[in-house]
Amino acid sequence: MPSAPVRDLLSVIHRLTPRDEQLLMWLHHHQLLTGNQILRALFGSQRAAQLRLATLRNLGFVTRVARYLGGPAARVGWTLGLNGARYTHAVLGLAPPRPAVLAHRNAAIAASPRLSHQIGVNEFFIRLHTYARHHAGHELNQWWSEQQAAAGFPDVHPDAYGQWTADEHRVGFFLEFETGSQHPPALIARLDDYRSAAEAGTRRPILIWVPTAGHEQAVHQTLAPHVGDLLVATGLHTDEPAEARLLPIGSPPGRRLRLADLPPLSAAEPH
């Protein structure tokens, strides 16, 4: 049976809640979120999340993607439907999306060999957002995608950029998400870009998020001769980002920091 045609945005936009609007903007910038990520970040129960996503899907705001990425079952994710793309484009002042272009975008997301990497990057920030929901005085102030970070910081190419506040202490950081497949020359080249940007006035801590303690040790050995005066710290995928004990490269093993211990943004820096 063919699916029902998507109704015009103006006839359904009144059905969006502020939570829906936040989800749609996330999907615009960060491509895809798993159902579990959406549940933890925005909902109080699995049933509430499932029912709302089903409603948004029926209204054309989101679409479902399933792909096998290893493990016992396919990973189920969500990205923008046609009305979701119409909404986000209208908010951002972009030209209305063409259905064929959106279909191509979603197919490219689903088929991307970097999909696991993208889900991992998004997981880091979803955990921060979720932590802030349950801990007063904490806030994820900015979550920029790779594309947004490249526009805001043209001299570097992080996987993402974030700003985090803990008890009025606000930090900004570049995120490099490691899957364990990055070769040492590529890591060193990215560090060289950060050094050049710092010399030009763009200086932020660099957080390298790695899968295992063994990989963390290898990253330290590779990058220690190249860090110079940059602040580069590592953390583990399994850690809670807000509470992780980050290890600065070039520091004694016992000198671990929390995210909120990174140098604060100055009042002169853009927030």
Side-chain angles (χ1 to χ4, degrees), residues 64-109:
R64 186 176 180 273
V65 174
R67 179 177 163 193
Y68 181 76
L69 295 172
R75 297 289 293 273
V76 175
W78 296 86
T79 189
L80 289 176
L82 183 56
N83 272 334
R86 288 168 174 165
Y87 170 80
T88 57
H89 282 222
V91 169
L92 297 170
L94 303 174
R98 301 206 315 262
V101 172
L102 178 66
H104 177 76
R105 170 193 184 268
N106 288 345
I109 291 171

Coordinates of all heavy atoms in Angstrom, one line a residue, residues 64-109:
R64 N 12.3 7.4 9.3 CA 13.0 6.3 10.0 C 14.1 5.7 9.1 O 13.9 5.4 7.9 CB 12.0 5.2 10.5 CG 12.6 4.1 11.4 CD 11.4 3.2 11.8 NE 11.8 2.1 12.6 CZ 12.2 1.0 12.2 NH1 12.3 0.7 10.9 NH2 12.6 0.0 13.0
V65 N 15.3 5.4 9.7 CA 16.4 4.8 9.0 C 16.8 3.6 9.8 O 17.0 3.7 11.0 CB 17.6 5.7 8.8 CG1 18.8 5.0 8.2 CG2 17.1 6.9 7.9
A66 N 17.0 2.4 9.2 CA 17.5 1.3 9.9 C 18.7 0.7 9.0 O 18.6 0.5 7.8 CB 16.5 0.2 10.0
R67 N 19.8 0.5 9.7 CA 21.0 -0.1 9.0 C 21.8 -1.0 10.0 O 21.9 -0.6 11.2 CB 21.9 1.1 8.5 CG 23.1 0.5 7.8 CD 23.9 1.6 7.2 NE 25.3 1.2 6.9 CZ 26.3 2.0 6.6 NH1 26.1 3.3 6.6 NH2 27.5 1.4 6.4
Y68 N 22.3 -2.1 9.5 CA 23.1 -2.9 10.3 C 24.5 -2.4 10.4 O 25.2 -2.1 9.4 CB 23.2 -4.3 9.7 CG 24.0 -5.3 10.5 CD1 23.5 -5.9 11.6 CD2 25.3 -5.6 10.1 CE1 24.2 -6.7 12.4 CE2 26.0 -6.5 10.8 CZ 25.5 -7.1 12.0 OH 26.3 -7.9 12.7
L69 N 24.9 -2.1 11.6 CA 26.3 -1.5 11.9 C 27.1 -2.4 12.8 O 28.0 -2.0 13.5 CB 26.1 -0.1 12.5 CG 25.5 0.9 11.6 CD1 25.3 2.2 12.4 CD2 26.4 1.2 10.4
G70 N 26.8 -3.7 12.8 CA 27.4 -4.6 13.8 C 26.6 -4.8 15.0 O 25.7 -4.0 15.3
G71 N 26.8 -5.9 15.7 CA 26.0 -6.2 16.9 C 24.9 -7.1 16.5 O 24.7 -7.6 15.4
P72 N 23.9 -7.3 17.5 CA 22.9 -8.3 17.2 C 21.8 -7.9 16.3 O 21.0 -8.7 15.8 CB 22.3 -8.5 18.7 CG 22.6 -7.2 19.4 CD 23.9 -6.7 18.8
A73 N 21.6 -6.6 16.1 CA 20.5 -6.1 15.3 C 20.8 -4.8 14.6 O 21.8 -4.1 14.9 CB 19.3 -5.9 16.2
A74 N 20.0 -4.4 13.6 CA 20.2 -3.2 12.9 C 20.0 -2.0 13.9 O 19.2 -2.1 14.8 CB 19.2 -3.1 11.8
R75 N 20.7 -0.9 13.6 CA 20.5 0.3 14.4 C 19.4 1.1 13.7 O 19.4 1.3 12.5 CB 21.8 1.1 14.4 CG 23.0 0.5 15.1 CD 22.8 0.4 16.6 NE 22.9 1.7 17.2 CZ 24.0 2.3 17.6 NH1 25.2 1.7 17.4 NH2 24.0 3.5 18.1
V76 N 18.5 1.6 14.6 CA 17.4 2.4 14.1 C 17.6 3.8 14.4 O 17.9 4.2 15.6 CB 16.0 1.9 14.7 CG1 14.9 2.8 14.3 CG2 15.7 0.5 14.3
G77 N 17.6 4.7 13.4 CA 17.8 6.1 13.6 C 16.7 6.9 12.9 O 15.8 6.4 12.2
W78 N 16.8 8.2 13.2 CA 15.8 9.1 12.7 C 16.4 10.3 12.1 O 17.4 10.8 12.6 CB 14.8 9.6 13.8 CG 14.0 8.4 14.4 CD1 14.4 7.6 15.4 CD2 12.7 8.0 14.0 NE1 13.4 6.7 15.6 CE2 12.4 6.9 14.8 CE3 11.8 8.5 13.0 CZ2 11.2 6.3 14.7 CZ3 10.6 7.8 12.9 CH2 10.3 6.7 13.7
T79 N 15.9 10.7 10.9 CA 16.4 11.9 10.3 C 15.2 12.7 9.8 O 14.1 12.4 10.1 CB 17.4 11.6 9.2 OG1 18.0 12.8 8.7 CG2 16.7 10.9 8.0
L80 N 15.5 13.8 9.0 CA 14.4 14.7 8.6 C 13.5 14.1 7.6 O 13.9 13.5 6.6 CB 14.9 16.0 8.1 CG 15.6 16.9 9.1 CD1 16.2 18.2 8.4 CD2 14.6 17.4 10.2
G81 N 12.2 14.2 7.8 CA 11.2 14.0 6.7 C 11.0 15.3 5.9 O 11.6 16.4 6.2
L82 N 10.1 15.3 4.9 CA 10.0 16.5 4.1 C 9.5 17.7 4.8 O 10.0 18.8 4.7 CB 9.0 16.1 2.9 CG 8.8 17.3 1.9 CD1 10.2 17.7 1.3 CD2 7.9 16.8 0.8
N83 N 8.5 17.5 5.7 CA 8.0 18.7 6.5 C 9.0 19.1 7.5 O 9.1 20.3 7.8 CB 6.7 18.4 7.1 CG 5.5 18.7 6.2 OD1 5.6 19.5 5.3 ND2 4.4 18.0 6.5
G84 N 9.8 18.2 8.0 CA 10.9 18.6 8.9 C 11.9 19.4 8.2 O 12.4 20.4 8.8
A85 N 12.3 19.0 7.0 CA 13.2 19.8 6.2 C 12.6 21.2 5.8 O 13.3 22.2 5.9 CB 13.7 19.1 5.0
R86 N 11.3 21.2 5.5 CA 10.7 22.5 5.2 C 10.7 23.4 6.4 O 11.0 24.6 6.3 CB 9.2 22.2 4.8 CG 9.0 21.6 3.4 CD 7.6 21.1 3.2 NE 7.3 20.6 1.9 CZ 6.2 19.9 1.6 NH1 5.3 19.6 2.5 NH2 6.1 19.5 0.3
Y87 N 10.5 22.8 7.6 CA 10.5 23.6 8.8 C 11.9 24.2 9.1 O 12.0 25.4 9.3 CB 10.0 22.8 10.0 CG 10.2 23.5 11.3 CD1 9.3 24.5 11.7 CD2 11.3 23.3 12.1 CE1 9.5 25.2 12.9 CE2 11.5 23.9 13.3 CZ 10.6 24.9 13.7 OH 10.8 25.6 14.9
T88 N 12.9 23.4 9.1 CA 14.2 23.8 9.5 C 14.7 24.8 8.4 O 15.4 25.8 8.8 CB 15.2 22.7 9.6 OG1 15.2 21.9 8.4 CG2 14.8 21.8 10.8
H89 N 14.5 24.6 7.2 CA 14.9 25.5 6.1 C 14.2 26.9 6.3 O 14.8 27.9 6.1 CB 14.6 25.0 4.7 CG 15.6 23.9 4.3 ND1 16.1 23.9 3.0 CD2 16.2 22.9 5.0 CE1 17.0 22.9 3.0 NE2 17.0 22.3 4.1
A90 N 12.9 26.9 6.7 CA 12.2 28.1 6.9 C 12.8 28.9 8.1 O 13.0 30.1 8.0 CB 10.7 27.9 7.1
V91 N 13.1 28.2 9.2 CA 13.7 28.8 10.3 C 15.0 29.4 10.0 O 15.4 30.5 10.5 CB 13.8 27.8 11.5 CG1 14.7 28.3 12.6 CG2 12.5 27.3 12.0
L92 N 15.8 28.7 9.2 CA 17.2 29.2 8.9 C 17.3 30.1 7.7 O 18.4 30.6 7.3 CB 18.1 28.0 8.7 CG 18.3 27.1 9.9 CD1 19.0 25.8 9.5 CD2 19.0 27.8 11.0
G93 N 16.1 30.4 7.1 CA 16.1 31.3 5.9 C 16.7 30.7 4.7 O 17.2 31.4 3.8
L94 N 16.6 29.4 4.5 CA 17.1 28.7 3.4 C 16.0 28.4 2.4 O 14.8 28.5 2.7 CB 17.7 27.3 3.8 CG 18.8 27.4 4.9 CD1 19.2 26.0 5.3 CD2 20.1 28.1 4.3
A95 N 16.4 28.2 1.1 CA 15.4 27.9 0.1 C 14.7 26.6 0.4 O 15.3 25.7 1.0 CB 16.2 27.7 -1.3
P96 N 13.4 26.5 0.1 CA 12.7 25.3 0.4 C 13.3 24.0 -0.2 O 13.8 24.1 -1.3 CB 11.3 25.5 -0.2 CG 11.2 27.0 -0.4 CD 12.6 27.5 -0.6
P97 N 13.3 22.9 0.5 CA 14.0 21.7 0.0 C 13.2 21.1 -1.1 O 12.0 21.0 -1.0 CB 14.1 20.8 1.3 CG 12.9 21.3 2.1 CD 12.7 22.7 1.9
R98 N 13.9 20.5 -2.0 CA 13.2 19.7 -3.1 C 13.1 18.3 -2.6 O 14.1 17.8 -2.1 CB 13.9 19.8 -4.4 CG 14.1 21.3 -4.9 CD 14.2 21.3 -6.4 NE 15.1 20.3 -7.0 CZ 16.4 20.6 -7.3 NH1 16.9 21.8 -7.1 NH2 17.2 19.6 -7.7
P99 N 12.0 17.6 -2.8 CA 11.9 16.2 -2.3 C 13.0 15.3 -2.8 O 13.5 14.5 -2.0 CB 10.5 15.8 -2.8 CG 9.7 17.1 -2.9 CD 10.7 18.1 -3.3
A100 N 13.4 15.5 -4.0 CA 14.4 14.6 -4.6 C 15.7 14.8 -3.9 O 16.5 13.9 -3.6 CB 14.5 14.8 -6.1
V101 N 16.0 16.1 -3.6 CA 17.3 16.5 -2.9 C 17.3 15.9 -1.5 O 18.3 15.4 -1.0 CB 17.5 18.0 -2.9 CG1 18.7 18.4 -2.1 CG2 17.7 18.5 -4.4
L102 N 16.2 16.0 -0.8 CA 16.1 15.5 0.5 C 16.2 14.0 0.5 O 16.9 13.4 1.4 CB 14.7 15.9 1.2 CG 14.5 15.4 2.6 CD1 15.5 16.0 3.6 CD2 13.1 15.6 3.1
A103 N 15.6 13.3 -0.4 CA 15.7 11.9 -0.5 C 17.1 11.4 -0.7 O 17.6 10.5 -0.1 CB 14.8 11.3 -1.6
H104 N 17.9 12.2 -1.6 CA 19.3 11.9 -1.8 C 20.1 12.1 -0.5 O 21.0 11.3 -0.2 CB 19.8 12.8 -2.9 CG 21.3 12.6 -3.2 ND1 21.8 11.5 -3.9 CD2 22.4 13.3 -2.8 CE1 23.1 11.6 -3.9 NE2 23.5 12.7 -3.3
R105 N 19.8 13.2 0.2 CA 20.5 13.5 1.4 C 20.3 12.3 2.4 O 21.3 11.9 3.0 CB 20.0 14.8 2.1 CG 20.5 15.1 3.5 CD 19.7 16.2 4.2 NE 20.2 16.5 5.5 CZ 19.8 16.0 6.6 NH1 18.8 15.1 6.6 NH2 20.3 16.4 7.8
N106 N 19.1 11.9 2.6 CA 18.8 10.9 3.6 C 19.4 9.5 3.2 O 19.9 8.8 4.0 CB 17.3 10.7 3.8 CG 16.8 11.9 4.6 OD1 17.5 12.6 5.2 ND2 15.4 12.0 4.6
A107 N 19.4 9.2 1.9 CA 20.1 8.0 1.4 C 21.6 8.1 1.6 O 22.2 7.1 2.0 CB 19.8 7.8 -0.1
A108 N 22.2 9.3 1.4 CA 23.6 9.4 1.7 C 24.0 9.3 3.1 O 25.0 8.7 3.5 CB 24.1 10.8 1.2
I109 N 23.1 9.7 4.0 CA 23.3 9.6 5.5 C 23.2 8.1 5.8 O 24.1 7.5 6.5 CB 22.3 10.3 6.3 CG1 22.5 11.9 6.1 CG2 22.3 9.9 7.7 CD1 21.4 12.7 6.7

